[in-house]
Structure formats: structure tokens, C-alpha cells
């Protein structure tokens, strides 16, 4: 980099944002004259003007515009590398917010307990993720990571360890013709309207959990779905642990053979990967008991 100083690059980026030497100096906690010195040093290294300054305005030259466009993402990534190194050096501490979809049962708590034992300086918080919005809480920064039902095909999210592979059951009303059956075959689902989550859950995700061409209501929450099942408005696919957890007198859960197992995965945002998130992913992967049910 020809001996370029990080401070010079930082100064240029702040000045490019502010287009005012005084305001740039205030943000950098240096004098206006120091901003001019840092800019001059950078321009000397590059061999061309990056900023034009008159008595009335400050603006970037064409080269300055191009330099800013190329420098900004590289500088952000460099800052992120430094932050990650500092975080790793301090160890895992602070706060980790974990979202879950469906039920935070004993298996999810097993993974969290493992994480807490390994990293006692890190406080964990647990929050339910809406059934019809499995990825929203991660995207909006409400949680650092979430345990959600697969499939996950979101380019801005990282899919971490998979766990809690469970057989599917179909929830039907006690008055449904299938309520007395011990088991069902996958082909028999074709004649049943299957209740699914509504938007904002992606279409591919909704279809994976309600593989039926027959029209059925869309719901926002799991409890809404089970209430509609009890009212004979449709059936609903759920994994076996969720069926056991949400047992009710007016709904019967019948195992289904021949459909893909229900699988959970840990997800986090690509821009939000921290040492805390990576440490929790390791705890989930290392758990001897599957860590959740949804």
C-alpha cells in the first residue's frame, strides 16, 4: 500500500461524507488543519487530487469518487476484521439473543445450557420467532441468531448446524376420518387441505410445510393453526415433539410415513456473525441431545 496510513484513509472517507473540513474534523476529533494535512498526504501518495476545495464548496474529483466507491467496502471489512479479532481476544462475553420458532423445549435449553457453561461471561436471552416470519427477527437485528425450520434459502443469511431431525405428524380434528388411524402414507395428504404459515414467510418455505394443492387458510401463529384444525378448517403438518408439546383434547396427531423429516437449523445474518454467534453454533453442533423442536 506504499506506506499509506489508515488514518489518512479514514479521514478521506469522513470528508467524503461530510464535504466540509470543519465537520470532518469534529467527527475525527482533530482540527480542520489536521484534516487538510491528512488529505494532502494521501493525495501525495496517490499522485492526484481527490478533493476539490473552493471558498464556497468542497467536492470529490472524479478520481476521488471512484476511490471512495472502492475504498468504502474494503475499509468496512478491515474494520470488521479488527473488531472480530478484538472480540476473540476478549473471549465470549456480552449478550447473545437467541430466537426460536415454535417451542423452546428441553432440547433447545440443553444447547443453551452447554453454551452458558462454556461462556459464563455471556448473558443469553431467548425470544420466540413468529411462525409466519421465521427470518424477520434475524434480519431486523432483534435476535443474533435463530433456530428455525428448514428449508432455508436466504442469500443474506448463514445456515449453521442442523439438528432435531424428527418424523412428521399431521394434526387433524378428533372428528376427522383420519383421527382413528395409527399412521398415514404421504400420498394420503394430497386429499387434505393443509394449513400453512402466511406471509412474510417465503413461498418456498410455506409450500414445504403444506405440500397440498387444496386451498387452506394461512395463519400467523402455530396456535392459530391448531385452532383452525380443531374447527375442521384443515390439517397441519408438525414434527412429533411439537405435537407432543401442543397436545389438546380436540386435535389428534397422526404419524405420516414417506414425507421428509422435520429439521431445524441455526441461522444468522451474514453481516452479524460474531464470536458469540460462532460459539453458540459450536455448542449446538456439539450437543449430545438434539437441541430444539419447532
Amino acid at each position: 500500500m506504499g506506506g499509506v496510513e489508515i488514518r489518512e484513509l479514514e479521514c478521506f472517507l469522513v470528508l467524503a461524507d461530510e464535504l466540509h473540513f470543519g465537520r470532518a474534523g469534529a467527527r475525527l476529533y482533530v482540527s480542520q488543519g489536521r484534516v487538510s494535512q491528512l488529505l494532502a498526504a494521501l493525495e501525495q501518495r496517490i499522485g492526484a487530487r481527490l478533493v476539490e476545495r473552493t471558498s464556497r464548496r468542497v467536492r470529490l474529483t472524479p478520481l476521488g469518487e471512484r476511490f471512495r466507491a472502492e475504498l468504502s467496502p474494503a475499509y468496512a471489512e478491515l474494520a470488521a476484521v479488527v473488531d472480530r479479532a478484538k472480540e476473540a481476544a476478549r473471549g465470549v462475553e456480552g449478550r447473545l439473543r437467541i430466537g426460536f420458532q415454535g417451542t423452546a423445549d428441553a432440547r433447545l435449553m440443553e444447547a443453551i445450557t452447554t453454551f452458558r457453561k462454556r461462556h459464563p461471561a455471556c448473558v443469553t436471552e431467548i425470544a420466540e420467532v413468529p411462525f409466519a416470519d421465521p427470518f424477520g427477527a434475524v434480519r431486523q437485528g432483534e435476535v443474533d441468531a435463530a433456530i428455525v425450520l428448514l428449508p432455508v434459502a436466504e442469500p443474506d443469511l448463514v445456515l449453521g448446524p442442523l439438528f432435531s431431525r424428527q418424523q412428521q405428524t399431521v394434526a387433524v380434528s378428533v372428528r376427522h376420518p383420519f383421527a382413528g388411524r395409527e399412521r398415514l402414507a404421504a400420498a394420503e395428504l394430497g386429499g387434505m387441505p393443509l394449513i400453512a404459515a402466511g406471509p412474510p414467510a417465503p413461498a418456498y418455505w410455506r409450500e414445504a410445510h403444506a405440500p397440498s394443492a387444496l386451498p387452506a387458510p394461512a395463519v400467523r401463529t402455530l396456535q392459530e393453526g391448531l385452532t383452525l384444525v380443531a374447527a375442521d378448517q384443515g390439517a397441519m403438518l408438525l414434527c412429533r415433539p411439537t405435537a407432543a408439546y401442543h397436545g389438546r383434547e380436540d386435535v389428534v396427531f397422526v404419524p405420516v410415513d414417506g414425507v421428509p423429516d422435520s429439521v431445524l437449523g441455526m441461522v444468522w445474518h451474514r453481516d452479524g456473525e460474531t464470536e458469540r454467534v460462532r460459539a453458540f453454533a459450536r455448542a449446538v453442533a456439539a450437543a449430545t441431545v438434539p437441541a430444539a423442536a419447532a
Side-chain angles (χ1 to χ4, degrees):
M1 295 174 60
V4 66
E5 297 288 340
I6 294 296
R7 191 63 167 165
E8 296 171 6
L9 300 179
E10 181 183 25
C11 177
F12 169 75
L13 289 174
V14 171
L15 182 59
D17 285 342
E18 297 291 346
L19 295 179
H20 189 281
F21 280 75
R23 290 196 298 268
R27 279 180 55 181
L28 294 167
Y29 299 101
V30 299
S31 66
Q32 181 173 328
R34 181 57 178 159
V35 173
S36 297
Q37 291 174 358
L38 290 168
L39 175 64
L42 179 61
E43 290 178 330
Q44 185 175 2
R45 294 180 197 279
I46 290 176
R49 295 288 297 276
L50 299 173
V51 176
E52 292 179 350
R53 175 169 56 174
T54 68
S55 58
R56 293 186 176 182
R57 64 183 302 183
V58 175
R59 66 179 180 182
L60 300 181
T61 67
L63 177 61
E65 293 281 5
R66 176 180 173 183
F67 185 59
R68 179 193 189 187
E70 295 180 356
L71 176 62
S72 292
Y75 183 85
E77 177 57 27
L78 179 60
V81 168
V82 173
D83 288 343
R84 289 195 292 268
K86 289 165 62 177
E87 189 175 67
R90 290 196 305 265
V92 178
E93 56 185 27
R95 179 180 63 156
L96 178 69
R97 299 163 300 169
I98 305 163
F100 68 91
Q101 191 179 26
T103 304
D105 69 357
R107 287 168 294 176
L108 175 54
M109 300 315 298
E110 173 83 12
I112 293 173
T113 299
T114 298
F115 176 82
R116 286 173 172 169
K117 288 180 178 178
R118 292 179 177 180
H119 309 289
C122 185
V123 176
T124 54
E125 297 179 359
I126 310 170
E128 185 175 0
V129 172
F131 178 64
D133 191 10
F135 312 125
V138 173
R139 286 199 172 106
Q140 294 159 18
E142 296 171 0
V143 297
D144 300 301
I147 307 301
V148 299
L149 282 163
L150 270 58
V152 176
E154 306 297 306
D156 60 331
L157 302 183
V158 176
L159 176 59
L162 308 183
F163 59 105
S164 193
R165 184 178 296 276
Q166 301 287 342
Q167 184 183 27
Q168 299 258 41
T169 70
V170 63
V172 295
S173 163
V174 292
R175 298 174 296 279
H176 194 278
F178 289 160
R181 295 278 297 274
E182 291 186 1
R183 311 189 74 81
L184 292 177
E188 295 179 276
L189 295 179
M192 305 172 68
L194 293 177
I195 296 168
Y204 74 86
W205 192 91
R206 301 197 305 268
E207 292 166 5
H209 297 288
S212 173
L214 298 181
V219 297
R220 295 170 298 173
T221 69
L222 188 56
Q223 289 301 324
E224 283 182 13
L226 289 173
T227 300
L228 290 176
V229 168
D232 280 322
Q233 298 299 304
M236 196 171 189
L237 277 176
L238 297 170
C239 69
R240 184 184 292 274
T242 297
Y245 184 85
H246 292 280
R248 44 189 294 172
E249 294 181 355
D250 50 2
V251 173
V252 175
F253 300 92
V254 185
V256 182
D257 297 321
V259 296
D261 289 342
S262 170
V263 182
L264 290 166
M266 177 182 166
V267 298
W268 61 88
H269 201 281
R270 292 191 181 279
D271 295 336
E273 183 170 320
T274 65
E275 186 61 26
R276 291 185 294 273
V277 169
R278 290 190 289 271
F280 185 65
R282 291 192 291 270
V284 169
T288 56
V289 178

